[in-house]
Amino acid sequence: MKVIQFYKSEAQLIKKAAKQHRDAQYQLYNKYAPKMLSVCRQYIRDVHFAEEAMMSGFLKVFMNIKNFKSEGSFEGWIRRIMVNESISFLRKEKQIFFTEEIVTYKEESWNNINSDLEVEQIQELIDSLPEGYKMVFVLYAVEGYKHSEIAKMFGISESTSKSQLFKARKMLQQKLNKQNKISNGAIEI
């Protein structure tokens, strides 16, 4: 049996999907859904709610695909929609809190820990952060947003964003140190 490729390029798929061709939308969904669930999961602890945010995000993708200008990557465009959808979900659930206290901090390297943690364990450590810390950490360290963009997104000051990142890194460092001590048998649980 010979497999026939429906569309030769992603650009063709996008054009067809913009014209509401269900096969093209289905192919784009299948291609990007696993990655986008991962993106939503970085923000939302419960995988079922992350899935809900992802589905809502794909609905927005297909409703607005005609607005995609092909100026950047399509995956990046979808990713931004998923990030915004995840943040909207958390806002709706009133799960985002930011501390407004002023903290003096200095930029320092914090990734000097030798760790054999798996991705799932690292995600669990990130999930254990307070929501405000987690959101800023993921947006800055994982997604590459600038503090000015994060501040605008949440209606907070840039210094609050920087403070949240500093606290998140410090807390993660402490958790990683503790995890390493436990795995090396230095302390008992």
Side-chain angles (χ1 to χ4, degrees):
M1 183 167 169
K2 190 174 183 180
V3 177
I4 301 170
Q5 189 174 4
F6 287 111
Y7 308 106
K8 294 191 188 296
S9 74
E10 185 171 87
Q12 286 178 313
L13 272 176
I14 293 167
K15 284 179 185 176
K16 293 284 187 181
K19 293 178 182 175
Q20 302 298 315
H21 284 74
R22 297 293 178 229
D23 283 342
Q25 290 175 338
Y26 181 72
Q27 286 182 42
L28 287 171
Y29 174 82
N30 279 338
K31 180 177 181 180
Y32 290 107
K35 287 180 188 175
M36 296 307 125
L37 180 58
S38 251
V39 169
C40 294
R41 176 61 190 82
Q42 289 175 333
Y43 296 92
I44 303 170
R45 284 187 177 109
D46 186 309
V47 72
H48 296 96
F49 291 132
E51 224 171 53
E52 185 179 318
M54 180 197 70
M55 295 304 289
S56 181
F58 268 108
L59 180 62
K60 286 184 179 177
V61 165
F62 293 129
M63 286 173 46
N64 295 295
I65 198 167
K66 61 190 167 291
N67 299 329
F68 176 66
K69 306 265 190 268
S70 299
E71 293 169 355
S73 78
F74 185 64
E75 182 176 340
W77 184 75
I78 294 175
R79 185 180 198 92
R80 191 168 199 96
I81 291 171
M82 295 302 163
V83 167
N84 289 332
E85 197 58 34
S86 297
I87 291 169
S88 292
F89 175 84
L90 290 170
R91 270 196 189 121
K92 185 174 66 178
E93 298 296 315
K94 295 178 178 42
Q95 294 182 6
I96 305 174
F97 302 99
F98 297 98
T99 57
E100 291 292 332
E101 68 187 65
I102 308 245
V103 175
T104 52
Y105 59 93
K106 60 181 180 183
E107 287 292 324
E108 56 185 59
S109 176
W110 66 282
N111 58 352
N112 57 354
I113 296 176
N114 294 326
S115 180
D116 295 327
L117 294 177
E118 297 292 323
V119 172
E120 191 173 304
Q121 292 170 308
I122 293 169
Q123 184 64 53
E124 287 173 11
L125 288 175
I126 293 170
D127 282 344
S128 71
L129 293 172
E131 285 302 323
Y133 294 7
K134 177 183 170 184
M135 298 297 289
V136 172
F137 177 80
V138 172
L139 285 168
Y140 184 86
V142 178
E143 299 292 336
Y145 283 77
K146 293 178 172 63
H147 285 294
S148 58
E149 295 172 308
I150 297 168
K152 188 176 179 182
M153 229 182 251
F154 293 113
I156 59 176
S157 69
E158 279 188 54
S159 62
T160 299
S161 178
K162 290 176 182 178
S163 171
Q164 297 290 298
L165 178 64
F166 174 77
K167 292 175 193 176
R169 284 179 167 173
K170 188 174 181 180
M171 191 177 278
L172 280 173
Q173 178 110 30
Q174 291 168 346
K175 290 175 184 276
L176 283 169
N177 283 335
K178 184 177 179 182
Q179 188 74 29
N180 283 337
K181 286 178 183 175
I182 290 171
S183 65
N184 292 332
I187 62 172
E188 291 182 27
I189 302 174

